[in-house]
């Protein structure tokens, strides 16, 4: 049976996570996710013009989206604040988009990366001939967000929906929502040569999974993995065979780096297979390669 995997699931880079999620799908949607979905919907309607003629003001539109996203919500000082935050985020996204002129919004797509039994699915929040933008309703800039848009761009390129080189951007709306300020962003260029390496890594990762590799991949994601209670993470689990070792090397080349952490880390400087991690408490102060770069 053909299985569809979201890019946000894929970038855990954990074969055991993929295996567990196929056997026991978990709906992790909470209030934060509902709010994020509401903001994305509002941005889509404001940028695409989907609301034209239906609402007198953007505020009316925002109230409509809120009530759709949170059935049973009532007008109050609290929900007025929520609507204001949604509007601030959507307007910041709109101002940002005007600098890049995307032509399509919320573009859904899927690509198999050579797999016979799996499809990777994604949604580009804003898309142009040489542009991919992804909205984030938080303000924390994570490396996994760059990974996400790199994979989106690779898929869109192979599907003929994007020309490379392209401008990729992760746009953070968290501060704009609270302060009414401009969006923050992480914008970078992405080449065809980079896309080839990304595709090669994802293809080999899915191939290893199809061949029966179900080892856990220990990383920062483990701290909030919904399957953590059933995952017996041990030092033995971190050990990889030669095929997987080469795969993780390719991951490094693809720029899809995930910090590797062994269990039991507390404070100080800790060695991993490929990195030196300087950590104090729960804060990762610095990650560098063992060769000093």
């Amino acid at each position: 049976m053909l299985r569809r995997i979201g890019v946000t699931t894929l970038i855990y880079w954990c074969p055991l996570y993929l295996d567990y999620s196929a056997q026991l799908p978990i709906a992790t949607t909470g209030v934060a996710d509902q709010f994020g979905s509401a903001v994305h919907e509002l941005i889509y309607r404001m940028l695409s013009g989907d609301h034209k003629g239906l609402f007198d003001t953007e505020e009316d539109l925002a109230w409509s989206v809120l009530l759709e996203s949170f059935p049973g919500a009532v007008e109050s000082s609290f929900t007025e604040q929520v609507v204001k935050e949604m509007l601030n985020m959507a307007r910041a996204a709109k101002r940002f988009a005007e600098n890049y002129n995307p032509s399509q919004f919320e573009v859904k797509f899927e690509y198999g990366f050579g797999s016979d039994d799996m499809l990777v699915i994604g949604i580009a929040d804003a898309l142009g001939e040489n542009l991919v933008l992804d909205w984030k309703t938080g303000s924390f800039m994570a490396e996994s967000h760059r990974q996400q848009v790199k994979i989106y761009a690779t898929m869109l390129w192979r599907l003929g929906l994007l020309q490379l080189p392209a401008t990729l951007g992760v746009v953070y709306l968290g501060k704009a929502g609270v302060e009414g300020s401009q969006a923050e962003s992480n914008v970078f260029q992405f080449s065809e040569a980079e896309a080839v390496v990304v595709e090669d890594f994802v293809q080999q990762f899915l191939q290893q999974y199809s061949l029966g590799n179900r080892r856990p991949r220990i990383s920062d994601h483990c701290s909030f993995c919904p399957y953590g209670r059933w995952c017996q993470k041990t030092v033995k689990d971190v050990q990889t065979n030669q095929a997987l070792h080469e795969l993780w090397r390719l991951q490094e080349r693809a720029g899809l780096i995930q910090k590797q952490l062994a269990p039991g880390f507390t404070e100080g400087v800790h060695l991993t297979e490929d990195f030196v991690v300087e950590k104090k408490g729960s804060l990762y102060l610095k990650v560098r390669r063992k060769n000093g770069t």
Side-chain angles (χ1 to χ4, degrees):
M1 182 174 67
L2 190 64
R3 182 185 174 194
R4 286 174 168 80
I5 302 170
V7 171
T8 52
T9 295
L10 182 67
I11 59 178
Y12 275 75
W13 304 124
C14 178
L16 189 63
Y17 180 90
L18 289 184
D19 195 43
Y20 282 173
S21 64
Q23 300 174 61
L24 187 68
I26 295 177
T28 58
T29 300
V31 173
D33 290 335
Q34 281 182 265
F35 177 74
S37 296
V39 172
H40 276 74
E41 179 64 20
L42 180 58
I43 295 171
Y44 167 73
R45 295 191 191 182
M46 288 176 60
L47 292 183
S48 67
D50 190 46
H51 67 290
K52 296 297 186 183
L54 299 177
F55 301 94
D56 293 332
T57 66
E58 289 180 342
E59 186 173 358
D60 290 338
L61 173 62
W63 273 107
S64 175
V65 172
L66 177 77
L67 294 173
E68 290 173 12
S69 303
F70 295 89
V74 298
E75 186 173 355
S76 67
S77 59
F78 170 59
T79 52
E80 286 175 357
Q81 180 60 38
V82 174
V83 167
K84 180 181 179 181
E85 190 172 346
M86 290 170 57
L87 271 173
N88 284 344
M89 288 184 173
R91 287 167 175 165
K94 185 177 180 180
R95 289 192 297 269
F96 189 90
E98 287 171 349
N99 294 323
Y100 291 91
N101 297 315
S103 56
Q104 300 180 72
F105 307 96
E106 285 202 14
V107 179
K108 299 176 175 64
F109 51 94
E110 55 186 34
Y111 181 63
F113 287 97
S115 174
D116 295 327
D117 53 5
M118 282 182 283
L119 283 174
V120 179
I121 59 176
I123 302 177
D125 290 332
L127 179 65
E129 183 178 357
N130 301 88
L131 174 73
V132 182
L133 298 178
D134 190 64
W135 315 122
K136 299 296 182 186
T137 53
S139 57
F140 177 71
M141 297 187 180
E143 180 60 30
S144 59
H145 299 159
R146 286 171 58 94
Q147 296 180 20
Q148 184 178 345
V149 291
K150 285 181 181 181
I151 297 171
Y152 283 171
T154 301
M155 296 166 66
L156 289 162
W157 170 59
R158 283 304 190 194
L159 293 168
L161 301 175
L162 181 74
Q163 298 295 318
L164 295 180
T167 298
L168 310 186
V170 186
V171 185
Y172 297 90
L173 306 170
K175 290 184 180 178
V178 176
E179 304 169 1
S181 56
Q182 300 295 321
E184 299 177 301
S185 64
N186 187 339
V187 177
F188 56 98
Q189 298 299 306
F190 188 65
S191 69
E192 185 172 320
E194 291 174 295
V196 169
V197 181
V198 169
E199 180 179 37
D200 195 16
F201 168 71
V202 176
Q203 183 174 340
Q204 291 193 40
F205 176 82
L206 294 177
Q207 183 181 46
Q208 284 291 319
Y209 176 78
S210 296
L211 291 174
N213 167 43
R214 299 294 186 270
R215 288 181 179 271
R217 175 74 162 159
I218 297 177
S219 72
D220 283 356
H221 288 301
C222 294
S223 61
F224 52 86
C225 176
Y227 303 102
R229 66 182 299 167
W230 300 294
C231 176
Q232 299 300 315
K233 298 181 289 292
T234 66
V235 174
K236 182 179 179 181
D237 292 326
V238 181
Q239 297 173 357
T240 59
N241 57 35
Q242 185 60 34
L244 286 180
H245 181 75
E246 293 302 320
L247 182 64
W248 306 135
R249 290 294 187 188
L250 181 58
Q251 180 188 28
E252 183 177 326
R253 287 181 51 216
L256 303 177
I257 298 300
Q258 179 62 55
K259 289 177 287 189
Q260 295 303 296
L261 304 176
F265 280 178
T266 53
E267 296 186 1
V269 178
H270 305 280
L271 296 179
T272 67
E273 183 178 12
D274 298 310
F275 301 98
V276 175
V277 181
E278 297 180 14
K279 183 170 184 266
K280 184 175 183 181
S282 60
L283 300 176
Y284 300 100
L285 305 178
K286 186 178 181 182
V287 179
R288 59 184 173 82
R289 304 185 199 284
K290 284 184 180 179
N291 62 12
T293 61

